[in-house]
Amino acid sequence: MTFSRRDFVKTSVIGSVAAGIGATSVFPHASAESGQQGHASQKETSKRPVILCANNGLAYVEAAYAALKGGADTLDAAIQVVKGPENDPNDDSVGLGGLPNEEGVVELDSCCMHGPTRRAGAVGGVRNIKNVSMVAKAVMQHTGHVMLVGEGAERFAVDMGFPRENLLTDRSRKIWMLWKQFNSDRDWWGPGIADPHWEPPAPDKKPQGELWRDRIQQLQQQAASLGIEPEYQLAAVRRILFPPTGTIHCSALNDKGEISGITTTSGLAFKLPGRVGDSPIIGAGCYTDQDVGSAGATGSGEENIKVAGAHTIVENMRHGMSPQAAGMDALKRIVRNYNGDMNKLRFMDMTYYVLRKDGAYAAVSLWEGYSAGHPHKFAVHDGTLRSETATPLLQGYSQEWPPFPPIPEELKKDSEYLK
Ligand code: GLY
């Protein structure tokens, strides 16, 4: 390995001092608290039915919407959407092919709420079962509990007829190997000193742009030597440099005003075994109240748990806030938890999806996205299927953890996967 974890620690200190941050601290939507502000992602129309979900559900919404119009249950329609990415081995944020924990094991989380019957179900840290959204629903329907975790949840799923299968696809396994190699300067993973391409750690004298170029090039070469397909190598590199939190949320509202929500995820890539984020936590990853509406989240799970995001949003709407104002308030609580310190806030991000019982909806995000031209998007169907852009609280782009120095903008322009 030519670039060690120690090198990153050193350069990140230098870089954060030298480069400052790529984000500003203004609140462009501060007036949203009034609930009066109009925006593309804030719709006050009262169309029903409505399906609202994270953008990775887009391809599955049309069929679920047809089912909803045909009388399908709202939770079943929402699950129909999220099952798409769960079953897709090429979506590495959820279900089959989700990125694994640090030991190479895929662990999935999910929770759901069924508005009409005011029930909830959840599972956390489930291995070997891909459709955890359906397992969460089964917990709700077939037990007197709300949440099962780990081995017990897996055994319950098998008892309910869900097949055990290996969730680690070959590609996700290779990305995990790449992550291990990249982070390895204190163990025996990765090419050793005998490898013809091995070089001692480079001195930190190069400009950040060059260091980033080297890092990306080395990772891409390693991705190639691990057999990751050429068209996927840069995406794999991005996942190593910025482990994603994955996740899909979907809320569905029918023409009778019944509403339900579901969130499912493989969680933070390369997490500690046993870590669960916000997705299986009722009130954080998802919350639905038949009297008010439904909300869900994707993004930095640890931050969302601390503000009980989905529950906060539904309560805000109960007290009269619009969907957008309700979501903005939850984001501001995250900002408040760090006293507005942008040096910390830039390493986290959060998107909330908010659907009110009358069909009004919004999606809001902490940052605009992770780079210019790639805003946070969401999918909505209220008779017309489309993707819209979430309204950001903060101007600028998040940087994901771990805290490397910011990638220079000119390099982002050159490198397709960083755009
Ligand atoms: N929001 C997904 C997670 O943090 O696991």
Side-chain angles (χ1 to χ4, degrees):
M1 305 290 288
T2 55
F3 216 92
S4 71
R5 190 192 290 271
R6 279 188 297 273
D7 293 330
F8 277 129
V9 172
K10 276 186 265 170
T11 54
S12 71
V13 172
I14 295 162
S16 57
V17 172
I21 59 169
T24 58
S25 60
V26 293
F27 283 19
H29 297 283
S31 64
E33 250 168 8
S34 68
Q36 300 304 310
Q37 187 160 348
H39 188 275
S41 69
Q42 161 80 22
K43 292 285 155 53
E44 294 291 345
T45 57
S46 298
K47 282 189 185 170
R48 296 198 301 218
V50 181
I51 292 182
L52 177 72
C53 69
N55 212 41
N56 49 339
L58 179 69
Y60 308 98
V61 175
E62 194 73 68
Y65 192 81
L68 198 57
K69 282 200 87 162
D73 174 74
T74 48
L75 182 56
D76 289 341
I79 288 177
Q80 189 174 337
V81 173
V82 303
K83 243 174 66 181
E86 279 184 341
N87 288 339
D88 180 358
N90 295 316
D91 185 322
D92 62 16
S93 72
V94 57
L96 177 66
L99 290 174
N101 67 19
E102 67 172 14
E103 292 176 351
V105 181
V106 181
E107 289 182 330
L108 305 178
D109 307 324
S110 179
C111 76
C112 66
M113 291 193 83
H114 187 244
T117 57
R118 298 176 187 275
R119 288 181 299 167
V123 288
V126 180
R127 300 178 172 192
N128 305 314
I129 311 285
K130 75 178 170 207
N131 293 126
V132 283
S133 58
M134 295 168 73
V135 183
K137 182 187 163 194
V139 170
M140 179 189 90
Q141 270 190 318
H142 297 288
T143 79
H145 304 308
V146 167
M147 187 173 201
L148 296 177
V149 300
E151 204 189 316
E154 181 182 339
R155 286 214 307 264
F156 166 76
V158 171
D159 289 347
M160 292 303 303
F162 291 87
R164 269 199 178 98
E165 57 194 298
N166 177 16
L167 303 181
L168 191 65
T169 56
D170 204 40
R171 186 188 288 152
S172 289
R173 182 185 62 76
K174 287 171 180 167
I175 295 172
W176 167 68
M177 289 296 297
L178 184 62
W179 175 80
K180 279 187 86 73
Q181 292 191 8
F182 180 64
N183 287 292
S184 171
D185 63 341
R186 290 171 203 161
D187 61 28
W188 293 97
W189 287 95
I193 203 163
D195 185 275
H197 303 295
W198 187 89
E199 285 177 32
D204 298 342
K205 293 190 182 120
K206 291 184 184 176
Q208 281 304 321
E210 261 181 71
L211 285 173
W212 271 108
R213 259 178 232 283
D214 290 353
R215 248 172 237 159
I216 292 166
Q217 213 173 26
Q218 286 159 14
L219 271 166
Q220 203 181 348
Q221 280 164 4
Q222 289 184 349
S225 74
L226 282 167
I228 295 174
E229 310 92 300
E231 67 277 16
Y232 204 71
Q233 285 167 7
L234 284 173
V237 170
R238 182 165 207 288
R239 282 154 177 73
I240 304 313
L241 293 173
F242 308 116
T245 47
T247 313
I248 177 167
H249 166 78
C250 182
S251 288
L253 170 71
N254 68 14
D255 53 8
K256 290 186 275 183
E258 294 171 340
I259 190 164
S260 296
I262 177 94
T263 300
T264 178
T265 192
S266 52
L268 176 66
F270 322 124
K271 60 196 172 186
L272 300 189
R275 176 264 188 194
V276 290
D278 57 330
S279 301
I281 310 294
I282 304 284
C286 180
Y287 194 77
T288 306
D289 185 313
Q290 182 52 50
D291 296 337
V292 180
S294 183
T298 60
S300 308
E302 281 74 4
E303 305 314 325
N304 190 34
I305 290 171
K306 289 186 283 183
V307 298
H311 182 263
T312 294
I313 290 167
V314 171
E315 287 309 295
N316 283 342
M317 289 197 290
R318 189 194 306 280
H319 296 117
M321 280 190 191
S322 69
Q324 180 169 305
M328 285 293 177
D329 174 68
L331 292 171
K332 286 176 189 170
R333 293 178 194 217
I334 294 175
V335 173
R336 172 68 187 90
N337 279 348
Y338 289 92
N339 292 320
D341 183 348
M342 295 298 146
N343 274 317
K344 293 186 175 175
L345 288 164
R346 68 188 166 122
F347 293 116
M348 56 193 76
D349 208 347
M350 180 60 56
T351 303
Y352 290 122
Y353 311 85
V354 190
L355 180 57
R356 205 169 56 189
K357 195 187 160 182
D358 65 355
Y361 67 88
V364 297
S365 55
L366 187 60
W367 294 104
E368 290 174 55
Y370 64 83
S371 67
H374 284 74
H376 291 298
K377 308 275 275 185
F378 65 99
V380 63
H381 200 327
D382 57 4
T384 314
L385 174 62
R386 58 200 178 273
S387 252
E388 294 188 13
T389 299
T391 305
L393 177 68
L394 303 173
Q395 287 174 333
Y397 306 99
S398 62
Q399 244 188 288
E400 288 169 73
W401 191 263
F404 303 138
I407 301 175
E409 280 303 317
E410 73 273 11
L411 187 59
K412 285 189 189 173
K413 281 188 209 117
D414 292 353
S415 189
E416 189 50 43
Y417 85 110
L418 292 169
K419 282 180 189 167

